[in-house]
């Protein structure tokens, strides 16, 4: 697999409400996703030439305080092709979410772990498309039982090449 995009906390885009807080963990920028409210952020990019499915999202995270329980994240893709009938001023067109879970967070708070999420719902993304990747902590998922914030360091998108 080939890394095609890396979204960092400093390049994240935020909706008007229910978004993770941009903060620092030992001077490292992180997005702090709450344990009780589903918070969302986005990254926008262009799908590079040579892109091939399947695609995978890799979420690098650590827990702020939890040492047990699990976490779940939803990743959604919105692909726009030139000439699409999507009014970007008024609407979004994200495909169905792809969910990734980690049933056991690290036993020490602050230890980094990665969750791989297969992106089976890619919104027909192809090379040259303008895309947004949406990341949300899936607090209503039965696997998400860890208390406290989940700190996200990065969202990496890999394709099948």
């Amino acid at each position: 697999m080939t890394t095609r995009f890396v979204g960092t906390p400093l390049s994240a885009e935020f909706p008007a409400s229910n978004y993770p807080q941009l903060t620092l963990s030992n001077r490292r920028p992180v997005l702090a996703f709450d344990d009780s409210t589903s918070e969302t952020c986005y990254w926008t990019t262009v799908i590079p030439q040579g892109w091939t499915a399947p695609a995978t999202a890799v979420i690098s995270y650590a827990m702020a305080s939890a040492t047990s329980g699990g976490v779940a994240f939803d990743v959604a893709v919105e692909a726009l092709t030139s000439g699409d009938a999507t009014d970007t001023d008024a609407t979004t067109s994200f495909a169905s979410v792809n969910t990734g879970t980690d049933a056991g967070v690290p036993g020490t708070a602050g230890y980094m772990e990665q969750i791989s999420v297969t992106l089976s719902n890619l919104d027909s993304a192809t090379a040259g498309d303008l895309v947004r990747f949406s990341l949300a902590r899936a607090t209503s998922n039965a696997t998400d039982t860890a208390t406290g914030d989940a700190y996200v360091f990065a969202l990496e998108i890999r394709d099948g090449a």
Side-chain angles (χ1 to χ4, degrees), residues 21-90:
Q21 297 302 303
L22 178 61
T23 190
L24 296 173
S25 174
N26 194 28
R27 307 306 305 158
R28 291 178 183 91
V30 295
L31 295 168
F33 285 84
D34 191 68
D35 64 348
S36 61
T37 301
S38 181
E39 298 174 326
T40 304
C41 64
Y42 311 103
W43 288 272
T44 302
T45 191
V46 173
I47 296 288
Q49 298 302 312
W51 170 269
T52 58
T56 302
V58 179
I59 303 159
S60 297
Y61 81 96
M63 297 307 296
S65 59
T67 57
S68 64
V71 292
F73 286 96
D74 288 336
V75 180
V77 180
E78 175 188 60
L80 299 174
T81 302
S82 181
D84 275 355
T86 300
D87 182 352
T88 59
D89 286 333

Side-chain angles (χ1 to χ4, degrees), residues 73-155:
F73 286 96
D74 288 336
V75 180
V77 180
E78 175 188 60
L80 299 174
T81 302
S82 181
D84 275 355
T86 300
D87 182 352
T88 59
D89 286 333
T91 190
T92 62
S93 62
F94 284 98
S96 300
V97 300
N98 306 274
T99 302
T101 61
D102 185 353
V105 300
T108 301
Y111 278 28
M112 197 272 296
E113 185 122 322
Q114 292 181 321
I115 300 173
S116 292
V117 182
T118 300
L119 299 179
S120 54
N121 301 317
L122 271 172
D123 200 26
S124 301
T126 60
D129 283 355
L130 180 70
V131 297
R132 281 197 304 171
F133 296 104
S134 168
L135 178 65
R137 184 165 176 188
T139 57
S140 62
N141 186 294
T143 303
D144 198 296
T145 58
T147 58
D149 288 345
Y151 287 164
V152 171
F153 298 105
L155 173 72

